[in-house]
Amino acid sequence: MVQPAGTPLAARLTELPEPSWRLLLGRGLPQFAFEAVVPVAVFYGAWSEFGLAAGVVASTACSLLLAAILVRRGRDVGLVAAGALFVVIQALIGLASGSTTVYLAQPVLFSGLWGVAYLGSVLVRRPLVGTFACAWYPFPDWFRASRPFIREFSLQSLVWSAYCFARGGLRLAILLHGNVGAFVAVSLITGSPVLVALVAWGIWHARRAFGSGSFERGL
């Protein structure tokens, strides 16, 4: 239902679905798990059995299938297209170089770029975590433009920026001085477990921030 322009923002929040853990995890967890775990596992499995080319092709096909599913479900086309474009570029460079190290180094570089992007989004007051949060909860446009939303997800974007830089640096060190198996192991350990913890913290913190009275004080 469309509310009159003068309706207070706090009152309009009552129209949104209850941000229960069941709703949030049901909307976001399948996409999160598929993006964070499956392509890496598919690459390593195919690479170890059939070589670099098979690993690259299998992982790329897996990621593009996810992108197609997300578009069909009405997710943000711009973000999905950007992710799919990176996957294709990574695959082409990896196949052209014939080097597993070159192929695996690209996500490390991409992690650093994400760290920069998170910082930049805070500076321009369009926090990236706020954009991604809409995959977990249907925030309306009017709320996404509010100060409480920008403040909360700016904080979370700074946390994610620090994580991207730290993980990228660690994986680069392992890649340069270790082996593919160690790199994949570190990627999985610093990937899914830490990502789950960050997502859980982010959901908890956002629910606390938007439901503790701080929302009304921040309008």
Side-chain angles (χ1 to χ4, degrees):
M1 180 175 66
V2 178
Q3 288 285 343
T7 304
L9 291 180
R12 294 165 70 183
L13 284 174
T14 60
E15 295 185 358
L16 301 177
E18 176 65 24
S20 64
W21 284 98
R22 181 177 181 180
L23 171 68
L24 296 170
L25 295 178
R27 281 178 57 91
L29 192 58
Q31 176 182 343
F32 165 76
F34 201 98
E35 289 181 319
V37 178
V38 176
V40 176
V42 167
F43 167 79
Y44 186 70
W47 172 81
S48 60
E49 290 293 328
F50 306 107
L52 175 62
V56 171
V57 171
S59 179
T60 302
C62 182
S63 297
L64 293 180
L65 175 61
L66 171 63
I69 293 173
L70 293 178
V71 170
R72 290 192 62 182
R73 292 185 176 181
R75 297 299 170 88
D76 192 315
V77 176
L79 289 175
V80 173
L85 178 62
F86 170 75
V87 167
V88 172
I89 293 174
Q90 179 187 3
L92 293 175
I93 293 176
L95 291 173
S97 66
S99 168
T100 302
T101 299
V102 171
Y103 176 74
L104 293 177
Q106 294 177 78
V108 175
L109 174 61
F110 195 55
S111 179
L113 293 177
W114 270 117
V116 173
Y118 281 122
L119 286 177
S121 72
V122 172
L123 294 177
V124 300
R125 296 180 58 81
R126 295 179 65 88
L128 271 176
V129 174
T131 299
F132 300 145
C134 293
W136 297 76
Y137 187 78
F139 292 107
D141 290 340
W142 59 264
F143 185 50
R144 295 175 66 178
S146 68
R147 283 183 291 175
F149 182 93
I150 294 173
R151 181 173 59 245
E152 170 62 22
F153 289 115
S154 290
L155 169 64
Q156 294 200 26
S157 293
L158 292 175
V159 172
W160 277 88
S161 177
Y163 163 71
C164 287
F165 286 131
R167 186 183 186 221
L170 176 61
R171 290 197 297 168
L172 180 61
I174 295 295
L175 185 61
L176 294 178
H177 301 288
N179 55 52
V180 174
F183 176 86
V184 172
V186 169
S187 294
L188 291 176
I189 292 171
T190 62
S192 298
V194 179
L195 289 170
V196 168
L198 282 175
V199 169
W201 168 79
I203 293 173
W204 170 82
H205 199 274
R207 293 176 79 232
R208 179 173 176 269
F210 298 148
S212 64
S214 61
F215 176 81
E216 289 84 354
R217 292 194 297 271
L219 292 177

